Amino acid sequence: MFYLILKNPDEYLVSEGLSFAEAKKQAQSEILNVFHMNKEDVVSSELMNIAMEGDDNAILLAVSSILQGYRTEAELSELISYMLADLSENGELNNEDLGSQLINHARYLRADQIRENLEQRHAAIGDSVVIPEFEHYIQEFIDNTSFEITEGLIKYPPLGIHGVNILDPERSDYVMPENGYVSLAAELKEGTSLRVRISRISGSPGPHGHGMWMYVVAPDGPINWSVKPYDQSKHKQEFIAIESGRSSDLKIRFLPGRFLIEYFEMHPNAEEPIFTSEFTVSD
């Protein structure tokens, strides 16, 4: 993958009068600059190996992971093609949309899962490998890039199957339809994961001390949600998306009150949410 993105810049730089070796070195440096990986004397990409120790190999794995993200092969090929065209002009990635595509995916990467997948893949064919310490290179790109995050890989649409979406972080006030319900909806890209936790901030519990919300089990039961038992003492409940690459929806109704939603994206066992939102339900 790294070699593919270097190939065309080589041809452009050679046409500008550089030797092939000089063009290869300059093109590699320009690409690493895009990812804020400015290590001196990085070996040629053909000599790198993501299954061996060393900073150069770690850089290869980090760049490859950011490029791959959660993209299909077709999406990856298209991204590389556009990047090559942009880089060939002046050695910089000037297309802000392409840069945003990189950071949009990079912030969702789970380095621990990437490492585990690689180790399992090599173990399955009997290879003994040492995956390099690549995690901090991904984090350096996330921390230092000037490209803006423009979208999430997990979306919370304004509307779900059953009406307005209570998970929409852009909305904070709701009125329940008379004798009706709203949606708990999310759209997950392939490879992503989601857990949400809803908590009561204020408002009176329901009849007999039960919770301040109720959801339909049948016939319009949860779609792609696993629902944890309601915590009576803390007035909280968790909803976990079962499969990635699918939409999740739930027919749910809230009593009047104020509520907190915690969004745990990509880190199902995390203690701290990626972000939170609050909303109010009135009569």
Side-chain angles (χ1 to χ4, degrees):
M1 189 183 304
F2 201 1
Y3 173 73
L4 287 177
I5 203 170
L6 282 171
K7 184 178 178 182
N8 281 8
D10 289 347
E11 296 170 355
Y12 169 75
L13 292 170
V14 168
S15 72
E16 292 295 299
L18 296 180
S19 69
F20 182 82
E22 291 170 332
K24 172 70 72 176
K25 184 175 182 180
Q26 181 172 328
Q28 182 165 289
S29 176
E30 290 170 351
I31 291 168
L32 293 181
N33 284 339
V34 172
F35 296 93
H36 293 271
M37 301 177 194
N38 303 312
K39 180 178 178 290
E40 294 290 336
D41 301 321
V42 177
V43 300
S44 180
S45 58
E46 298 94 298
L47 301 177
M48 298 178 188
N49 187 333
I50 63 172
M52 295 179 62
E53 290 182 299
D55 284 343
D56 294 355
N57 299 323
I59 286 172
L60 172 63
L61 180 52
V63 170
S64 298
S65 298
I66 294 169
L67 286 170
Q68 180 65 65
Y70 295 91
R71 299 176 177 88
T72 64
E73 290 304 311
E75 291 170 339
L76 176 60
S77 296
E78 181 179 64
L79 173 63
I80 289 177
S81 177
Y82 285 134
M83 287 183 66
L84 289 174
D86 190 281
L87 285 163
S88 68
E89 294 181 7
N90 61 2
E92 297 179 357
L93 190 64
N94 296 311
N95 187 314
E96 294 292 330
D97 178 65
L98 293 176
S100 290
Q101 289 183 48
L102 296 175
I103 185 61
N104 287 345
H105 281 241
R107 69 192 184 102
Y108 283 90
L109 291 175
R110 288 189 57 186
D112 59 335
Q113 193 65 60
I114 294 171
R115 177 180 292 277
E116 181 179 335
N117 290 342
L118 285 172
E119 290 174 341
Q120 290 179 351
R121 188 179 306 166
H122 284 278
I125 59 176
D127 284 350
S128 178
V129 298
V130 179
I131 307 301
E133 301 295 326
F134 70 101
E135 293 85 348
H136 67 283
Y137 284 113
I138 292 178
Q139 193 60 50
E140 283 181 18
F141 172 68
I142 294 172
D143 292 341
N144 295 307
T145 186
S146 60
F147 296 125
E148 294 185 2
I149 296 169
T150 56
E151 65 175 358
L153 302 185
I154 301 174
K155 301 183 185 299
Y156 308 95
L159 295 174
I161 296 173
H162 308 290
V164 295
N165 182 17
I166 213 76
L167 292 183
D168 180 4
E170 302 299 319
R171 182 165 178 171
S172 59
D173 295 287
Y174 296 87
V175 176
M176 289 295 109
E178 186 176 354
N179 298 320
Y181 290 77
V182 294
S183 273
L184 187 94
E187 299 173 356
L188 286 77
K189 191 171 180 65
E190 187 69 40
T192 60
S193 63
L194 173 67
R195 170 171 59 102
V196 296
R197 179 191 295 150
I198 301 179
S199 307
R200 184 189 81 182
I201 297 176
S202 63
S204 301
H208 311 296
H210 293 302
M212 293 185 65
W213 55 85
M214 61 208 78
Y215 66 92
V216 175
V217 177
D220 299 319
I223 299 174
N224 200 37
W225 284 120
S226 172
V227 184
K228 296 292 185 181
Y230 180 81
D231 188 325
Q232 296 281 1
S233 62
K234 297 180 179 179
H235 304 291
K236 298 181 179 181
Q237 191 167 28
E238 293 192 347
F239 304 81
I240 303 170
I242 298 171
E243 295 181 38
S244 66
R246 292 184 56 193
S247 295
S248 300
D249 210 319
L250 180 74
K251 191 174 183 179
I252 192 167
R253 179 175 179 83
F254 288 79
L255 297 177
R258 187 154 185 82
F259 305 88
L260 169 70
I261 303 181
E262 297 170 280
Y263 301 77
F264 300 85
E265 297 182 342
M266 300 305 298
H267 297 280
N269 300 316
E271 294 295 327
E272 296 297 324
I274 297 296
F275 66 97
T276 65
S277 67
E278 295 183 12
F279 67 92
T280 299
V281 175
S282 54
D283 293 318

